[in-house]
Amino acid sequence: MSRKLHARRIEAIDKNIWVEFTQLAADYKAVNLGQGFPDFSPPSFVQEAFCKALNGGFSMHQYTRAFGHPNLVKILAKFFSRIVGREIDPMEDILVSVGAYQALFCTFQALIDEGDEVIIVEPFFDCYQPMVMMAGGTICLLYLRLKCCGPVLSSADWVLSPEELASKFSPRTKAIVINTPNNPLGKVYQREELQMIADLCIKHDVICISDEVYEWLTYDGTKHVKIASLPGMWERTVTIGSAGKTFSATGWKVGWAMGSGHILKHLKTVHQNSVYHCATAAQEAVAVGFQREYDVFGTEESYFHQLPIHLHEKRLRLADCLKSVGLKPILPQGGYFMIADISNLNVDLTDPSTKDEPYDYRFVKWLIKEKGLATIPVSAFYSPEHRNEFQKYIRFCFVKEDTTLQAAEDILRQWSDSK
Amino acid sequence: MNPIHLLRVFRCAPRILQTNRFRNFTSCQDKMASIKHKNAKRIEGLDKNVWVAFTSVAADPSIVNLGQGYPDIPPPSYVKEGLAQAAMVDRLNQYTRGFGHPTLVKALSKVYGKVYDRQLDPFKEILITVGGYGSLFSTMQALVEEGDEVIIIEPFFDCYVPMVKMAGGKPVLIPLRLKSSPAATSVSSADWVLDQKELASKFNSKTKAIIINTPNNPIGKIFSRSELQAIADLCIKHDTLCFSDEVYEWLVYKGHEHVKIATLPGMWDRTITIGSAGKTFSVTGWKLGWSIGPDHLIKHLQTVMQNSLYTCPTPLQEAVGQGLLREFELMGKPDCYFTSLALELEGKRDRMAAMLRQTGMTPVVPEGGYFMIVDVTALNQDLSHMGDDEPYDYKFVKWMIKEKVFCFVILGINNKTKHSKMHRIVFKIIYIYI
């Protein structure tokens, strides 16, 4: 065909780090601490619920309610009403989506037009930028900056400058995206930080898109605060959640957007004109999982209580190992990931195929190919304009079986010993 | 089709259709918020959806849902078992390859490689999506934009028009018209045809694509080789794309052949063909579909995929892949589910058609697919007592439900009936239920 075929909306968003690095990790059969998924199974009560759903009669295999399986939206409303402190309407205030990813997509497509500005905090989960671009919006960036340099670095040391934040809001600002706990840093925004953001959202009448997929994973007593629960914020916030991250079942791709009906209805319009329904059986299983968690919430039996305890140790163990081989980890307050400063290592990266790429990309590819260990370069979580300023960190996912972490440790120690 | 008229059939429907667009806010601050929190232009006017409202109505237990296209017979047991087995494997509960789980894309390339009689690259020429619907969306978002015209054949599956509009394109409609005499007692979906001159007149330099759906929903028409060739000739002449929705491709009844337009000369390079696991294995609730086409087109759909939902559920893809591998071994044999399901449904189709004829209605016997449409003109039912404000077809539907306790959930379709002299109505019955 001689004519131009593709739509302009997909120009400049064709590259994707996950496609590239997942393939590389698979090709080299690397020990995979790269992409964010557990290599252990979901909890048995949720797996059993899925199997039960499969055998639950013909309706489990046919279309369910487009905006969310009734059992699921009802329990989500009940569960989160208790946390947010308001009555959430299951039919009006919730949209179930194909993973949190699709909830983000629906949000941007529903609310962002050409000329709208969207504030994004760097480092950010990489899909925010292309999604805003695909919706025709303009991105306004600001950094989390390291405020101090002590011997033990924590994600809490990365903060927003109030003046810089305020300066990003303009009459064209439609939305700000926050992610807490943050990917890749692991930062958990404190109430005061969220209040600062909330004040600006209210002052400038801006929507807040709050990606909270890691909401149950906080460590060292850190509390996750929902910005939607702050005064004046429910009516202007879309909160995104994920069953995949909640129940360690990323492959089920069940997520949701939650917020005031007057905003959610626009996300529903996108949803009904894009995928229309999500898979029924998986939604049923997630509903059963949430019912169980509702009943045991706050007790030791709760998966939301047990999983962070379980991961707390893995996080410390990985941090110790990284330190011992000369990497400088930044201890995350929450989430799946830990980033580490690689600038102390002097590795000779002579692979000509990567010579034009940022240092961390080159280092990660070298680590996969030469050492069989997969991680993700952190500059991928910065905008292309700023990528070159943040080339010295790589990201590890520690939500893995002990055997996987052990294998990673062995590789690192062997490498360190051989230097 | 006017969804608002359609759904007035059900007393509870109007409340569902009332959009809350004009909800009043109580506080001054909320009033301000509502102005700035308006929707993006791309979804303006796309909020109404007949299926959304329809499913809510059908959820009312007093109504038997024969409207929406899904079976109430169970899927084949090996497909359910495949899913149960997949769910027990740790790795299969986590993310898989974004553009399609390897087991599934490889199985599809095998099955369709045989059907297309060509080597299909599982990684570059196949994309897995959330149902056939998701494939349609990825296709439109990838390949349609402002300034593009897209030809759509009426009657059409309702999402085509809003999806084209959301992508900024302009839908250009052309109807299938009934060529046989209205007095005929036996009408087939083959009797609904395109006027060739009219079709040619719809193509111009702005035409980006034509959407075809074969077997067609709602009529059940299977476009013949020569009909597809006529469309192909125009696509090649005007250098347009073809989006071929073939979700009902295996539901082909005796005496008919499903032809893939992508297999006609010159068409592979310009065609995206859409398929559905939901319709193939009677598992609509699994929401898996696929787009098949040349690398230079599929790569754009992949870009949309990686920026919209990234990947589809893993265990479901594994189970469909295993199911397809099993069917591949049986292809052409009576044991093959693709063959046996069509045979089973043909019986139901014939039984339904006979029942409808007995009551005096004229069914349009479908050559393929899930649906049958019916002409009720011959009943000559007097509905003047039901008032003047609605078209005959909608009054008829209400009358059927109320007086005859006929639990049809019906879609009035085919807005081209306004061109005919008689007050014909057609409604869609899902005969897979009987």
Side-chain angles (χ1 to χ4, degrees), chain A residues 294-350:
Chain A
Y294 181 84
D295 295 335
V296 301
F297 191 66
T299 71
E300 297 215 340
E301 237 190 296
S302 156
Y303 187 69
F304 299 167
H305 172 78
Q306 289 174 358
L307 184 61
I309 291 177
H310 192 50
L311 297 182
H312 178 92
E313 291 311 313
K314 292 180 193 280
R315 182 190 64 133
L316 290 175
R317 177 179 165 175
L318 181 65
D320 286 341
C321 169
L322 296 179
K323 271 184 244 163
S324 73
V325 300
L327 290 160
K328 289 201 284 185
I330 292 159
L331 206 59
Q333 298 158 283
Y336 263 21
F337 310 107
M338 178 181 306
I339 74 172
D341 185 334
I342 55 174
S343 46
N344 275 352
L345 307 170
N346 283 320
V347 179
D348 185 16
L349 300 174
T350 49

Side-chain angles (χ1 to χ4, degrees), chain A residues 179-228:
Chain A
N179 173 217
T180 177
N182 170 273
N183 174 6
L185 258 186
K187 175 184 176 65
V188 175
Y189 286 72
Q190 300 302 292
R191 185 172 290 272
E192 307 73 51
E193 291 174 300
L194 294 175
Q195 191 60 63
M196 177 174 74
I197 294 169
D199 290 341
L200 286 159
C201 284
I202 292 167
K203 177 178 174 183
H204 295 274
D205 192 21
V206 159
I207 292 173
C208 180
I209 301 169
S210 187
D211 177 353
E212 300 181 17
V213 297
Y214 302 106
E215 59 188 307
W216 304 111
L217 298 178
T218 56
Y219 313 113
D220 299 326
T222 312
K223 288 261 173 299
H224 171 71
V225 177
K226 286 183 154 322
I227 196 169

Side-chain angles (χ1 to χ4, degrees), chain B residues 11-28:
Chain B
R11 263 185 229 111
C12 54
R15 70 170 159 76
I16 292 151
L17 272 188
Q18 260 161 34
T19 150
N20 47 22
R21 203 186 278 195
F22 308 105
R23 186 190 285 180
N24 290 317
F25 291 91
T26 49
S27 78
C28 204

Side-chain angles (χ1 to χ4, degrees), chain A residues 2-3 5 7-9 14 41 61-63 101 109-110 112-113 135 245 250-253 272 275-276, chain B residues 40-42 47 51 90 93-95 133 141-142 144-145 167 207-208 239 284-287 306 309 314:
Chain A
S2 55
R3 64 203 296 185
L5 297 167
R8 272 172 301 235
R9 69 177 64 82
D14 51 324
S41 60
H61 299 283
Q62 308 306 334
Y63 295 129
Y101 213 94
Q109 287 286 309
I112 306 302
D113 257 327
K245 303 296 194 293
T250 60
W252 290 13
K253 292 291 290 184
Q272 84 198 19
V275 306
Y276 183 35
Chain B
K41 286 190 278 282
R42 70 180 58 81
D47 49 323
W51 304 110
D90 283 355
N93 285 304
Q94 309 303 337
Y95 293 132
Y133 215 95
Q141 287 289 307
V144 176
E145 60 182 350
T207 310
K208 188 71 177 280
D239 196 21
T284 61
W286 288 27
K287 286 294 294 192
Q306 85 197 15
L309 48 99
T314 315

Side-chain angles (χ1 to χ4, degrees), chain A residues 108 112 116-120 132 138-140 173-177:
Chain A
F108 291 119
I112 306 302
D116 288 340
E117 287 180 5
V118 179
I119 300 172
I120 297 179
V132 170
T138 308
I139 294 158
C140 237
T173 309
K174 188 77 181 274
I176 178 169
V177 185

Side-chain angles (χ1 to χ4, degrees), chain B residues 186-201:
Chain B
S186 185
V187 183
S188 152
S189 55
D191 298 323
W192 290 70
V193 297
L194 289 174
D195 179 297
Q196 291 308 312
K197 278 215 198 81
E198 193 182 3
L199 177 63
S201 76

